[in-house]
Short mmCIF file of all heavy atoms in Angstrom, two decimals:
data_model
loop_
_atom_site.label_atom_id
_atom_site.label_comp_id
_atom_site.label_asym_id
_atom_site.label_seq_id
_atom_site.Cartn_x
_atom_site.Cartn_y
_atom_site.Cartn_z
N MET A 13 -2.53 11.10 -14.52
CA MET A 13 -1.46 10.26 -14.12
C MET A 13 -1.56 8.97 -14.87
O MET A 13 -2.52 8.40 -14.89
CB MET A 13 -1.48 10.02 -12.66
CG MET A 13 -0.49 9.13 -12.09
SD MET A 13 -0.53 8.75 -10.38
CE MET A 13 -0.78 10.36 -9.64
N THR A 14 -0.49 8.49 -15.40
CA THR A 14 -0.40 7.25 -16.16
C THR A 14 -0.14 6.21 -15.13
O THR A 14 0.35 6.38 -14.04
CB THR A 14 0.59 7.22 -17.21
OG1 THR A 14 1.88 7.31 -16.70
CG2 THR A 14 0.41 8.36 -18.23
N GLU A 15 -0.50 4.96 -15.58
CA GLU A 15 -0.20 3.81 -14.72
C GLU A 15 1.26 3.61 -14.44
O GLU A 15 1.69 3.23 -13.28
CB GLU A 15 -0.77 2.50 -15.42
CG GLU A 15 -0.63 1.33 -14.42
CD GLU A 15 -1.29 0.09 -15.11
OE1 GLU A 15 -2.26 0.19 -15.76
OE2 GLU A 15 -0.71 -0.97 -14.86
N GLY A 16 2.12 3.95 -15.32
CA GLY A 16 3.53 3.88 -15.10
C GLY A 16 3.99 4.81 -13.97
O GLY A 16 4.87 4.45 -13.20
N ASN A 17 3.41 6.02 -13.92
CA ASN A 17 3.77 6.93 -12.90
C ASN A 17 3.21 6.47 -11.52
O ASN A 17 3.84 6.59 -10.51
CB ASN A 17 3.32 8.36 -13.15
CG ASN A 17 3.98 9.03 -14.29
OD1 ASN A 17 5.08 8.68 -14.59
ND2 ASN A 17 3.38 10.07 -14.85
N ALA A 18 2.06 5.87 -11.54
CA ALA A 18 1.42 5.35 -10.32
C ALA A 18 2.23 4.27 -9.75
O ALA A 18 2.30 4.18 -8.46
CB ALA A 18 0.03 4.89 -10.68
N GLU A 19 3.00 3.48 -10.48
CA GLU A 19 3.81 2.43 -9.95
C GLU A 19 4.98 2.95 -9.12
O GLU A 19 5.48 2.25 -8.29
CB GLU A 19 4.19 1.48 -11.00
CG GLU A 19 3.00 0.72 -11.56
CD GLU A 19 3.41 -0.41 -12.44
OE1 GLU A 19 4.58 -0.91 -12.33
OE2 GLU A 19 2.61 -0.87 -13.21
N LYS A 20 5.41 4.13 -9.33
CA LYS A 20 6.54 4.68 -8.66
C LYS A 20 6.20 5.73 -7.58
O LYS A 20 7.02 6.20 -6.81
CB LYS A 20 7.51 5.27 -9.58
CG LYS A 20 8.22 4.22 -10.51
CD LYS A 20 8.94 3.17 -9.65
CE LYS A 20 9.46 2.07 -10.47
NZ LYS A 20 10.08 1.01 -9.70
N GLU A 21 4.84 6.11 -7.50
CA GLU A 21 4.41 7.08 -6.55
C GLU A 21 4.48 6.39 -5.14
O GLU A 21 4.12 5.35 -4.88
CB GLU A 21 2.95 7.44 -6.90
CG GLU A 21 2.47 8.60 -6.03
CD GLU A 21 1.04 8.97 -6.54
OE1 GLU A 21 0.43 8.30 -7.36
OE2 GLU A 21 0.64 10.00 -5.96
N VAL A 22 4.91 7.30 -4.22
CA VAL A 22 4.90 6.95 -2.76
C VAL A 22 3.49 6.90 -2.27
O VAL A 22 2.76 7.76 -2.38
CB VAL A 22 5.80 7.82 -1.90
CG1 VAL A 22 5.65 7.58 -0.48
CG2 VAL A 22 7.11 7.90 -2.41
N LEU A 23 3.11 5.69 -1.73
CA LEU A 23 1.69 5.49 -1.34
C LEU A 23 1.65 5.69 0.27
O LEU A 23 0.51 5.61 0.84
CB LEU A 23 1.19 4.14 -1.62
CG LEU A 23 1.15 3.92 -3.17
CD1 LEU A 23 0.69 2.49 -3.51
CD2 LEU A 23 0.34 4.91 -3.85
N ILE A 24 2.76 5.82 0.95
CA ILE A 24 2.76 5.76 2.39
C ILE A 24 3.15 7.23 2.92
O ILE A 24 3.93 7.85 2.33
CB ILE A 24 3.88 4.81 2.83
CG1 ILE A 24 3.69 3.43 2.33
CG2 ILE A 24 4.06 4.83 4.33
CD1 ILE A 24 2.35 2.82 2.71
N VAL A 25 2.40 7.62 3.92
CA VAL A 25 2.69 8.90 4.60
C VAL A 25 3.86 8.69 5.50
O VAL A 25 3.72 8.02 6.56
CB VAL A 25 1.49 9.43 5.33
CG1 VAL A 25 1.80 10.78 5.99
CG2 VAL A 25 0.27 9.60 4.46
N ALA A 26 5.04 9.08 5.07
CA ALA A 26 6.30 8.86 5.72
C ALA A 26 6.29 9.26 7.21
O ALA A 26 6.66 8.57 8.12
CB ALA A 26 7.47 9.47 5.04
N SER A 27 5.84 10.52 7.50
CA SER A 27 5.75 11.05 8.83
C SER A 27 4.89 10.16 9.74
O SER A 27 5.29 9.96 10.93
CB SER A 27 5.38 12.52 8.91
OG SER A 27 4.04 12.64 8.39
N LYS A 28 3.75 9.75 9.28
CA LYS A 28 2.89 8.91 10.08
C LYS A 28 3.53 7.58 10.38
O LYS A 28 3.50 7.07 11.48
CB LYS A 28 1.57 8.74 9.35
CG LYS A 28 0.78 9.98 9.07
CD LYS A 28 0.09 10.41 10.30
CE LYS A 28 -0.86 11.53 9.96
NZ LYS A 28 -1.47 12.07 11.21
N LEU A 29 4.15 6.96 9.37
CA LEU A 29 4.87 5.64 9.49
C LEU A 29 6.04 5.87 10.54
O LEU A 29 6.10 4.98 11.52
CB LEU A 29 5.33 5.15 8.29
CG LEU A 29 6.07 3.83 8.33
CD1 LEU A 29 5.24 2.74 8.84
CD2 LEU A 29 6.77 3.47 7.00
N LYS A 30 6.87 6.84 10.31
CA LYS A 30 7.96 7.08 11.26
C LYS A 30 7.50 7.27 12.71
O LYS A 30 8.07 6.76 13.64
CB LYS A 30 8.79 8.22 10.73
CG LYS A 30 9.63 7.76 9.45
CD LYS A 30 10.42 8.99 9.04
CE LYS A 30 11.22 8.64 7.75
NZ LYS A 30 12.11 9.68 7.37
N ASN A 31 6.42 8.08 12.84
CA ASN A 31 5.91 8.34 14.19
C ASN A 31 5.29 7.08 14.86
O ASN A 31 5.55 6.84 16.01
CB ASN A 31 4.75 9.33 14.12
CG ASN A 31 5.24 10.77 13.87
OD1 ASN A 31 6.44 11.00 14.00
ND2 ASN A 31 4.38 11.64 13.38
N TYR A 32 4.64 6.21 14.05
CA TYR A 32 4.18 5.02 14.51
C TYR A 32 5.25 4.06 15.05
O TYR A 32 5.28 3.49 16.14
CB TYR A 32 3.26 4.21 13.46
CG TYR A 32 2.84 2.97 13.94
CD1 TYR A 32 1.80 2.70 14.78
CD2 TYR A 32 3.52 1.71 13.55
CE1 TYR A 32 1.42 1.50 15.21
CE2 TYR A 32 3.21 0.48 13.99
CZ TYR A 32 2.12 0.31 14.74
OH TYR A 32 1.73 -0.91 15.22
N ILE A 33 6.27 3.90 14.26
CA ILE A 33 7.42 3.05 14.57
C ILE A 33 8.13 3.51 15.77
O ILE A 33 8.44 2.71 16.69
CB ILE A 33 8.28 2.78 13.34
CG1 ILE A 33 7.67 1.99 12.27
CG2 ILE A 33 9.68 2.15 13.82
CD1 ILE A 33 8.39 1.77 11.10
N ARG A 34 8.29 4.84 15.83
CA ARG A 34 9.05 5.41 17.04
C ARG A 34 8.21 5.26 18.29
O ARG A 34 8.75 4.87 19.32
CB ARG A 34 9.34 6.87 16.86
CG ARG A 34 10.11 7.51 18.09
CD ARG A 34 10.41 8.94 17.81
NE ARG A 34 11.27 9.23 16.69
CZ ARG A 34 12.61 8.99 16.60
NH1 ARG A 34 13.22 8.53 17.78
NH2 ARG A 34 13.28 9.22 15.54
N ALA A 35 6.86 5.47 18.18
CA ALA A 35 6.01 5.29 19.32
C ALA A 35 5.90 3.83 19.76
O ALA A 35 5.88 3.58 20.96
CB ALA A 35 4.53 5.78 19.02
N LYS A 36 5.86 3.01 18.84
CA LYS A 36 5.74 1.49 19.11
C LYS A 36 7.06 0.96 19.63
O LYS A 36 7.01 0.10 20.51
CB LYS A 36 5.32 0.78 17.79
CG LYS A 36 5.06 -0.68 17.90
CD LYS A 36 3.64 -0.88 18.54
CE LYS A 36 3.33 -2.30 18.47
NZ LYS A 36 2.07 -2.61 19.10
N SER A 37 8.15 1.43 19.16
CA SER A 37 9.40 0.63 19.45
C SER A 37 10.57 1.60 19.92
O SER A 37 11.61 1.10 20.42
CB SER A 37 9.94 -0.02 18.22
OG SER A 37 10.31 0.94 17.23
N GLY A 38 10.44 2.94 19.72
CA GLY A 38 11.50 3.82 20.09
C GLY A 38 12.64 3.83 18.97
O GLY A 38 13.67 4.54 19.14
N MET A 39 12.31 3.11 17.87
CA MET A 39 13.33 3.01 16.80
C MET A 39 13.11 4.07 15.72
O MET A 39 12.06 4.66 15.55
CB MET A 39 13.20 1.65 16.16
CG MET A 39 13.44 0.49 17.12
SD MET A 39 13.15 -1.09 16.40
CE MET A 39 14.86 -1.48 15.80
N ASN A 40 14.22 4.37 15.01
CA ASN A 40 14.09 5.22 13.78
C ASN A 40 13.70 4.34 12.64
O ASN A 40 13.81 3.19 12.65
CB ASN A 40 15.50 5.88 13.54
CG ASN A 40 15.86 6.89 14.63
OD1 ASN A 40 14.98 7.54 15.24
ND2 ASN A 40 17.10 6.85 14.98
N THR A 41 13.34 5.10 11.52
CA THR A 41 12.89 4.41 10.23
C THR A 41 13.78 4.86 9.10
O THR A 41 13.84 6.13 8.86
CB THR A 41 11.49 4.64 9.91
OG1 THR A 41 10.59 4.35 11.08
CG2 THR A 41 11.00 3.93 8.71
N SER A 42 14.42 3.96 8.43
CA SER A 42 15.18 4.34 7.22
C SER A 42 14.29 4.83 6.12
O SER A 42 13.13 4.42 5.93
CB SER A 42 15.95 3.01 6.75
OG SER A 42 16.39 3.24 5.41
N ALA A 43 14.69 5.76 5.30
CA ALA A 43 13.93 6.31 4.20
C ALA A 43 13.62 5.33 3.22
O ALA A 43 12.56 5.34 2.59
CB ALA A 43 14.78 7.51 3.57
N ALA A 44 14.50 4.29 3.13
CA ALA A 44 14.27 3.13 2.09
C ALA A 44 13.01 2.38 2.42
O ALA A 44 12.40 1.77 1.57
CB ALA A 44 15.45 2.27 2.00
N VAL A 45 12.57 2.36 3.74
CA VAL A 45 11.41 1.60 4.09
C VAL A 45 10.17 2.06 3.31
O VAL A 45 9.26 1.38 2.94
CB VAL A 45 11.24 1.71 5.59
CG1 VAL A 45 9.85 1.19 6.06
CG2 VAL A 45 12.34 1.01 6.39
N ILE A 46 10.10 3.40 3.15
CA ILE A 46 8.99 4.00 2.57
C ILE A 46 8.67 3.39 1.13
O ILE A 46 7.51 3.11 0.81
CB ILE A 46 9.03 5.54 2.40
CG1 ILE A 46 9.37 6.22 3.80
CG2 ILE A 46 7.79 6.15 1.83
CD1 ILE A 46 8.39 5.83 4.93
N ASP A 47 9.68 3.33 0.32
CA ASP A 47 9.59 2.72 -0.96
C ASP A 47 9.24 1.27 -0.96
O ASP A 47 8.31 0.81 -1.77
CB ASP A 47 10.87 2.99 -1.84
CG ASP A 47 11.12 4.39 -2.22
OD1 ASP A 47 10.14 5.17 -2.29
OD2 ASP A 47 12.28 4.67 -2.34
N VAL A 48 9.89 0.52 -0.08
CA VAL A 48 9.62 -0.96 0.03
C VAL A 48 8.13 -1.09 0.48
O VAL A 48 7.41 -1.95 -0.12
CB VAL A 48 10.54 -1.62 1.08
CG1 VAL A 48 10.18 -3.03 1.33
CG2 VAL A 48 11.96 -1.53 0.47
N LEU A 49 7.67 -0.38 1.47
CA LEU A 49 6.31 -0.49 1.86
C LEU A 49 5.32 -0.10 0.93
O LEU A 49 4.31 -0.69 0.69
CB LEU A 49 6.11 0.23 3.25
CG LEU A 49 4.90 -0.04 4.04
CD1 LEU A 49 4.72 -1.54 4.28
CD2 LEU A 49 4.94 0.73 5.30
N SER A 50 5.63 0.98 0.14
CA SER A 50 4.72 1.37 -1.06
C SER A 50 4.63 0.24 -2.02
O SER A 50 3.50 -0.01 -2.56
CB SER A 50 5.31 2.65 -1.68
OG SER A 50 5.15 3.75 -0.86
N ASP A 51 5.70 -0.39 -2.31
CA ASP A 51 5.65 -1.61 -3.27
C ASP A 51 4.76 -2.70 -2.70
O ASP A 51 4.01 -3.27 -3.46
CB ASP A 51 7.06 -2.13 -3.49
CG ASP A 51 7.98 -1.33 -4.36
OD1 ASP A 51 7.44 -0.34 -5.05
OD2 ASP A 51 9.22 -1.46 -4.26
N LYS A 52 4.89 -2.96 -1.42
CA LYS A 52 4.09 -3.96 -0.89
C LYS A 52 2.51 -3.51 -0.87
O LYS A 52 1.62 -4.44 -1.21
CB LYS A 52 4.43 -4.30 0.60
CG LYS A 52 5.79 -4.94 0.69
CD LYS A 52 6.09 -5.61 1.97
CE LYS A 52 7.34 -6.43 2.02
NZ LYS A 52 7.29 -7.67 1.24
N VAL A 53 2.26 -2.39 -0.61
CA VAL A 53 0.86 -1.87 -0.67
C VAL A 53 0.32 -1.93 -2.11
O VAL A 53 -0.78 -2.37 -2.29
CB VAL A 53 0.72 -0.45 -0.15
CG1 VAL A 53 -0.67 0.20 -0.46
CG2 VAL A 53 1.07 -0.36 1.30
N ARG A 54 1.22 -1.62 -3.11
CA ARG A 54 0.83 -1.78 -4.46
C ARG A 54 0.43 -3.23 -4.73
O ARG A 54 -0.56 -3.41 -5.46
CB ARG A 54 1.90 -1.18 -5.46
CG ARG A 54 1.64 0.15 -6.04
CD ARG A 54 2.79 0.44 -7.05
NE ARG A 54 4.07 0.64 -6.40
CZ ARG A 54 4.48 1.64 -5.76
NH1 ARG A 54 3.60 2.61 -5.57
NH2 ARG A 54 5.67 1.79 -5.25
N ASP A 55 1.27 -4.17 -4.40
CA ASP A 55 0.99 -5.56 -4.57
C ASP A 55 -0.30 -6.00 -3.93
O ASP A 55 -1.13 -6.71 -4.58
CB ASP A 55 2.10 -6.46 -4.07
CG ASP A 55 3.41 -6.33 -4.82
OD1 ASP A 55 3.36 -5.89 -5.97
OD2 ASP A 55 4.50 -6.74 -4.32
N LEU A 56 -0.55 -5.60 -2.75
CA LEU A 56 -1.85 -5.92 -2.06
C LEU A 56 -3.03 -5.34 -2.86
O LEU A 56 -4.07 -5.96 -2.97
CB LEU A 56 -1.83 -5.36 -0.64
CG LEU A 56 -0.96 -6.11 0.37
CD1 LEU A 56 -0.94 -5.35 1.69
CD2 LEU A 56 -1.48 -7.49 0.62
N CYS A 57 -2.82 -4.07 -3.32
CA CYS A 57 -3.94 -3.48 -4.02
C CYS A 57 -4.21 -4.11 -5.37
O CYS A 57 -5.35 -4.38 -5.83
CB CYS A 57 -3.65 -1.98 -4.30
SG CYS A 57 -3.79 -0.96 -2.86
N ASP A 58 -3.10 -4.49 -6.03
CA ASP A 58 -3.27 -5.32 -7.34
C ASP A 58 -4.09 -6.67 -7.06
O ASP A 58 -4.96 -6.97 -7.85
CB ASP A 58 -1.93 -5.57 -7.94
CG ASP A 58 -1.14 -4.34 -8.43
OD1 ASP A 58 -1.85 -3.27 -8.58
OD2 ASP A 58 -0.01 -4.41 -8.73
N GLN A 59 -3.75 -7.33 -6.03
CA GLN A 59 -4.47 -8.48 -5.68
C GLN A 59 -5.92 -8.26 -5.39
O GLN A 59 -6.84 -8.91 -5.82
CB GLN A 59 -3.75 -9.24 -4.49
CG GLN A 59 -2.44 -9.81 -4.86
CD GLN A 59 -1.69 -10.26 -3.59
OE1 GLN A 59 -2.30 -10.56 -2.51
NE2 GLN A 59 -0.35 -10.31 -3.61
N ALA A 60 -6.23 -7.18 -4.68
CA ALA A 60 -7.50 -6.82 -4.36
C ALA A 60 -8.36 -6.35 -5.56
O ALA A 60 -9.49 -6.86 -5.73
CB ALA A 60 -7.60 -5.64 -3.34
N VAL A 61 -7.74 -5.76 -6.45
CA VAL A 61 -8.35 -5.36 -7.81
C VAL A 61 -8.82 -6.62 -8.51
O VAL A 61 -9.94 -6.78 -9.09
CB VAL A 61 -7.47 -4.48 -8.55
CG1 VAL A 61 -7.94 -4.35 -10.06
CG2 VAL A 61 -7.38 -3.05 -8.01
N GLU A 62 -7.84 -7.61 -8.59
CA GLU A 62 -8.14 -8.86 -9.22
C GLU A 62 -9.24 -9.65 -8.54
O GLU A 62 -10.18 -10.20 -9.29
CB GLU A 62 -6.89 -9.75 -9.37
CG GLU A 62 -5.80 -9.15 -10.24
CD GLU A 62 -6.38 -8.83 -11.77
OE1 GLU A 62 -7.05 -9.66 -12.20
OE2 GLU A 62 -6.10 -7.78 -12.17
N ALA A 63 -9.32 -9.56 -7.31
CA ALA A 63 -10.41 -10.25 -6.54
C ALA A 63 -11.78 -9.59 -6.82
O ALA A 63 -12.78 -10.26 -7.10
CB ALA A 63 -10.13 -10.22 -5.06
N ALA A 64 -11.79 -8.29 -6.90
CA ALA A 64 -13.02 -7.53 -7.23
C ALA A 64 -13.48 -7.83 -8.69
O ALA A 64 -14.61 -8.08 -8.96
CB ALA A 64 -12.86 -6.08 -7.02
N LYS A 65 -12.55 -7.88 -9.57
CA LYS A 65 -12.76 -8.18 -10.97
C LYS A 65 -13.40 -9.69 -11.08
O LYS A 65 -14.40 -9.94 -11.81
CB LYS A 65 -11.57 -8.22 -11.86
CG LYS A 65 -11.16 -6.83 -12.21
CD LYS A 65 -9.82 -6.84 -13.10
CE LYS A 65 -9.43 -5.45 -13.44
NZ LYS A 65 -8.21 -5.49 -14.26
N ARG A 66 -12.70 -10.59 -10.37
CA ARG A 66 -13.30 -11.97 -10.42
C ARG A 66 -14.77 -12.04 -9.91
O ARG A 66 -15.49 -12.88 -10.27
CB ARG A 66 -12.46 -12.91 -9.51
CG ARG A 66 -11.15 -13.37 -10.19
CD ARG A 66 -10.51 -14.50 -9.34
NE ARG A 66 -10.24 -14.11 -8.01
CZ ARG A 66 -9.18 -13.48 -7.57
NH1 ARG A 66 -8.17 -13.16 -8.48
NH2 ARG A 66 -9.05 -13.23 -6.23
N ASP A 67 -15.03 -11.11 -8.97
CA ASP A 67 -16.49 -11.11 -8.41
C ASP A 67 -17.39 -10.23 -9.29
O ASP A 67 -18.57 -10.11 -9.01
CB ASP A 67 -16.53 -10.60 -7.01
CG ASP A 67 -15.99 -11.60 -6.00
OD1 ASP A 67 -15.81 -12.80 -6.40
OD2 ASP A 67 -15.76 -11.21 -4.80
N GLY A 68 -16.86 -9.78 -10.36
CA GLY A 68 -17.74 -8.93 -11.34
C GLY A 68 -17.97 -7.57 -10.80
O GLY A 68 -18.98 -6.95 -11.25
N ARG A 69 -17.18 -7.10 -9.92
CA ARG A 69 -17.40 -5.72 -9.36
C ARG A 69 -16.50 -4.63 -9.85
O ARG A 69 -15.43 -5.05 -10.33
CB ARG A 69 -17.28 -5.79 -7.75
CG ARG A 69 -18.35 -6.52 -7.04
CD ARG A 69 -18.16 -6.46 -5.51
NE ARG A 69 -17.24 -7.45 -5.11
CZ ARG A 69 -16.02 -7.18 -4.69
NH1 ARG A 69 -15.59 -6.04 -4.47
NH2 ARG A 69 -15.24 -8.24 -4.31
N LYS A 70 -16.91 -3.42 -9.86
CA LYS A 70 -16.01 -2.30 -10.14
C LYS A 70 -15.56 -1.55 -8.93
O LYS A 70 -14.97 -0.48 -9.06
CB LYS A 70 -16.77 -1.40 -11.15
CG LYS A 70 -17.04 -2.01 -12.51
CD LYS A 70 -17.62 -1.00 -13.43
CE LYS A 70 -17.76 -1.62 -14.72
NZ LYS A 70 -18.21 -0.66 -15.79
N THR A 71 -15.81 -2.09 -7.80
CA THR A 71 -15.46 -1.51 -6.53
C THR A 71 -14.59 -2.40 -5.67
O THR A 71 -15.04 -3.59 -5.46
CB THR A 71 -16.71 -1.04 -5.70
OG1 THR A 71 -17.54 -0.22 -6.58
CG2 THR A 71 -16.38 -0.42 -4.38
N VAL A 72 -13.47 -1.97 -5.28
CA VAL A 72 -12.60 -2.79 -4.50
C VAL A 72 -13.13 -2.58 -3.03
O VAL A 72 -13.35 -1.43 -2.58
CB VAL A 72 -11.12 -2.26 -4.54
CG1 VAL A 72 -10.28 -3.05 -3.48
CG2 VAL A 72 -10.59 -2.54 -5.95
N MET A 73 -13.32 -3.65 -2.39
CA MET A 73 -13.93 -3.62 -0.95
C MET A 73 -12.89 -4.26 0.04
O MET A 73 -11.90 -4.90 -0.37
CB MET A 73 -15.24 -4.41 -0.92
CG MET A 73 -16.25 -3.88 -2.02
SD MET A 73 -17.68 -4.81 -2.02
CE MET A 73 -18.56 -4.12 -0.68
N ASP A 74 -13.13 -3.99 1.24
CA ASP A 74 -12.27 -4.47 2.37
C ASP A 74 -12.14 -6.04 2.26
O ASP A 74 -10.91 -6.54 2.43
CB ASP A 74 -12.79 -4.10 3.70
CG ASP A 74 -14.17 -4.57 3.95
OD1 ASP A 74 -14.94 -4.87 3.16
OD2 ASP A 74 -14.53 -4.57 5.18
N ARG A 75 -13.12 -6.70 1.85
CA ARG A 75 -12.96 -8.22 1.78
C ARG A 75 -12.03 -8.61 0.67
O ARG A 75 -11.60 -9.82 0.74
CB ARG A 75 -14.35 -8.83 1.55
CG ARG A 75 -15.07 -8.52 0.25
CD ARG A 75 -16.33 -9.10 0.18
NE ARG A 75 -17.03 -8.96 -1.09
CZ ARG A 75 -18.24 -8.54 -1.32
NH1 ARG A 75 -19.04 -8.31 -0.27
NH2 ARG A 75 -18.70 -8.41 -2.51
N ASP A 76 -11.73 -7.79 -0.23
CA ASP A 76 -10.83 -8.11 -1.32
C ASP A 76 -9.43 -8.22 -0.88
O ASP A 76 -8.51 -8.72 -1.55
CB ASP A 76 -10.91 -7.18 -2.52
CG ASP A 76 -12.30 -7.09 -3.15
OD1 ASP A 76 -12.85 -8.29 -3.36
OD2 ASP A 76 -12.86 -6.12 -3.41
N PHE A 77 -9.15 -7.76 0.27
CA PHE A 77 -7.73 -7.75 0.84
C PHE A 77 -7.43 -8.98 1.75
O PHE A 77 -6.48 -9.11 2.23
CB PHE A 77 -7.49 -6.53 1.72
CG PHE A 77 -7.30 -5.24 0.77
CD1 PHE A 77 -8.33 -4.43 0.37
CD2 PHE A 77 -6.01 -4.91 0.29
CE1 PHE A 77 -8.18 -3.29 -0.37
CE2 PHE A 77 -5.80 -3.83 -0.55
CZ PHE A 77 -6.90 -3.03 -0.91
N SER A 78 -8.44 -9.84 1.91
CA SER A 78 -8.23 -11.04 2.74
C SER A 78 -7.89 -12.21 1.91
O SER A 78 -8.01 -12.25 0.75
CB SER A 78 -9.37 -11.29 3.62
OG SER A 78 -10.58 -11.23 2.87
#
């Protein structure tokens, strides 16, 4: 998989997200939410990767997301 394809890949398990939102609020979830949330997850991951690089690591760790 190329990086270009990875940027458009869905990173969220739609059924899990929809079940969570329904259980938490009784609300439905628009299909568009999945793409928007995947974009946000990608942004968070990109920031975490940069934090790991700054620390000279090749492993992204939980602390890189804070």
